[in-house]
Amino acid sequence: MDLRWEELDGKAGWERLAPGVGRRRLPGWDATAGLVAGAHGALLYDTGSTLREGAEIRTQAQTLLGRRVTHIALSHPHFDHVLGTGAFAGAEVYAAADMDALLTSQRESLTQDAVRQGVEPGAATEAAELLAAPHHPVSGERTVDLGGGRTVLLANLGPAHSGHDLVALVPDPAGGPGIVFCGDLVEESGEPQAGPDAVAGRWPQALDRLLALGGESALYVPGHGAVVDAAFVRAQRDALARRFRVS
């Protein structure tokens, strides 16, 4: 199933990556929201920074799909990637193991971080309050079947950029190059950010696993910025190893 790109062609930052696969570069922090369509289901990778942004993504995804998003995968627990989740009532939500407890216990700090970065306090508070714990923890790898031969492999590669990094590999049903949604394990529009929850010493190892998962021919979709190739990911891996003095 392909998406109705003519409905949003050149609008709102949507980009077609392959038949049935696309993403939007969101305003503000240039975060990625990925969309994968199968015959019976649709998966959204990350949901934006507020309920308003999540609702906008939901409406646009329904325009592209002709139906609603059924599954959500959250790349990691930073506000610009998760606070739109409350706009997707009824969707099955996947995240790295133990992220459910983290999002429940740290709503206040998540709200404060969003406000520090420029989100209006009321919007940040509302989004955090409606952020339900993920239903499906991923501790290793887990495959989501969207129907019609379309599957998404979710892999827990953290801790690295955060304590809970989840990537999504979308294989080509025809055997061509896959697409890997990387979250903030990879960044193109700026230097990779290491906040207080980063485990810097394990970040290069996580990128080694990412490259093994996607292979040389895959398209790698960063958490922020333009789509890159394996050579870019490898160069960023080596730069992080030098930065944090790990092998």
Side-chain angles (χ1 to χ4, degrees):
M1 172 184 177
D2 205 356
L3 306 180
R4 301 175 181 174
W5 292 108
E6 68 278 4
E7 304 272 351
L8 288 171
D9 186 28
K11 302 175 184 176
W14 284 96
E15 175 185 1
R16 181 184 185 273
L17 303 176
V21 186
R23 64 90 174 248
R24 183 184 170 193
R25 291 175 70 168
L26 300 168
W29 296 273
D30 192 26
T32 282
L35 186 61
V36 185
H40 308 300
L43 182 141
L44 181 71
Y45 183 81
D46 284 348
T47 61
S49 59
T50 64
L51 285 175
R52 180 176 180 179
E53 193 163 66
E56 184 176 71
I57 296 168
R58 181 193 66 212
T59 299
Q60 293 172 349
Q62 288 176 341
T63 298
L64 289 167
L65 295 169
R67 51 190 168 82
R68 71 180 185 86
V69 168
T70 55
H71 300 73
I72 287 171
L74 298 176
S75 65
H76 64 291
H78 294 169
F79 83 93
D80 49 332
H81 298 265
V82 304
L83 282 183
T85 305
F88 294 87
E92 297 294 317
V93 182
Y94 296 76
D98 299 325
M99 197 165 124
D100 52 349
L102 180 73
L103 292 178
T104 299
S105 64
Q106 297 193 9
R107 282 195 175 96
E108 184 175 349
S109 62
L110 192 64
T111 301
Q112 291 172 351
D113 188 30
V115 172
R116 279 194 299 269
Q117 298 297 327
V119 176
E120 192 275 326
T125 299
E126 181 185 28
E129 288 176 348
L130 293 178
L131 181 56
H135 310 96
H136 305 289
V138 180
S139 57
E141 296 181 356
R142 185 164 183 171
T143 298
V144 179
D145 186 353
L146 300 177
R150 173 67 77 193
T151 61
V152 179
L153 176 66
L154 302 177
N156 184 342
L157 301 190
H161 167 74
S162 75
H164 306 80
D165 295 303
L166 187 74
V167 303
L169 168 65
V170 187
D172 181 353
I179 296 169
V180 184
F181 290 98
C182 306
D184 285 4
L185 287 173
V186 179
E187 297 197 36
E188 186 276 335
S189 57
E191 185 175 351
Q193 299 300 304
D197 59 342
V199 183
R202 296 187 62 176
W203 201 335
Q205 177 186 356
L207 292 183
D208 287 336
R209 294 173 62 196
L210 183 73
L211 287 164
L213 189 69
E216 289 299 310
S217 62
L219 298 178
Y220 292 86
V221 186
H224 303 264
V227 176
V228 300
D229 59 12
F232 180 97
V233 176
R234 189 170 294 105
Q236 193 158 96
R237 179 258 182 233
D238 292 344
L240 286 167
R242 290 191 298 270
R243 176 179 169 186
F244 298 120
R245 299 183 181 181
V246 296
S247 61

